[in-house]
Amino acid sequence: MSQHAALSQDLDALRAHYATHMPADIAAAMTRADTELAASGIVDRALKAGQYAPDFAAPDAEGTTVRLSRALRDGAVILSFYRGDWCPYCNLELRAYAALAREMRGAGIRLITVSPQDPDTSVQAANADPYPFPVLSDSGSKIAKSFGIAFDLSDELRPVYARLGHALPDMNGSDWILPIPATYVIAPTGEIVLAFIDTDYRRRLDPADAIAAAIRANTPRRKAA
């Protein structure tokens, strides 16, 4: 079974698990919040393919600053925004990419992941087997805001998240802002060549699609004769 097929099946299985095990009041609150976010127009406002990615710099768990424009000098970048290490859907996605790290390196592709979590509570800091790609801390969700994918968690969901042990201010430093778990493929020129933006955090871009787009972005275009 391919990694991307495994990710799709794992996401579906996790969704089915929560559908049958989540308390009814929490499920209802999340459904209302999902509907509200989908109707907010955030997907329409987010950066799309054909636009240029704003440059940014942010620290990884070890304090090393990673800058997008510097990474693009070496080839296309897959940029993945995830909610945090408390999100099991995000963790499935990151593990799928980790399994494809050798393939991406061989194709001259770099994966950069971004979360609003501060470095001390990031998935990278807590992981005994660190991911083979940088996990950046987006303080104040500045990077997510520049891509147009940051939103305030609904007032109804804040006590629900706290009840589940996911009080965002405790992990993010101050606020209740989250990114839509979007994925962008960015060409060495800085142009966005693929953008996956979905308000449903349970759906993720197939890693194979992201890698294929990045390979195409790395392939020099032949000039017409």
Side-chain angles (χ1 to χ4, degrees), residues 87-221:
C87 173
Y89 297 94
C90 299
N91 292 334
L92 288 176
E93 181 182 27
L94 293 189
R95 285 199 290 270
Y97 275 112
L100 296 168
R102 181 177 296 179
E103 178 181 340
M104 288 188 287
R105 282 196 300 270
I109 300 166
R110 186 166 185 185
L111 173 67
I112 296 175
T113 61
V114 177
S115 164
Q117 279 186 269
D118 64 46
D120 290 338
T121 61
S122 74
V123 62
Q124 186 79 335
N127 198 337
D129 185 17
Y131 288 117
F133 44 77
V135 177
L136 307 187
S137 178
D138 183 16
S139 177
S141 296
K142 295 181 182 68
I143 302 172
K145 289 176 182 177
S146 72
F147 278 78
I149 59 169
F151 68 96
D152 289 298
L153 191 70
S154 70
D155 290 339
E156 183 180 17
L157 279 190
R158 294 182 186 190
V160 172
Y161 272 48
R163 172 179 163 188
L164 295 173
H166 309 324
L168 299 183
D170 293 341
M171 295 179 285
N172 298 354
S174 61
D175 54 46
W176 288 92
I177 297 176
L178 284 176
I180 293 176
T183 301
Y184 288 91
V185 178
I186 306 170
T189 60
E191 182 182 359
I192 298 169
V193 296
L194 186 154
F196 178 86
I197 310 154
D198 195 323
T199 57
D200 187 345
Y201 58 87
R202 292 154 293 206
R203 290 198 288 259
R204 304 299 166 109
L205 178 67
D206 187 325
D209 291 338
I211 292 172
I215 290 174
R216 290 193 298 270
N218 274 342
T219 302
R221 296 179 183 176

Side-chain angles (χ1 to χ4, degrees), residues 48-70:
K48 305 291 194 307
Q51 297 179 286
Y52 281 80
D55 195 17
F56 62 80
D60 63 16
E62 297 178 350
T64 301
T65 297
V66 175
R67 181 174 291 277
L68 175 62
S69 56
R70 175 62 187 85

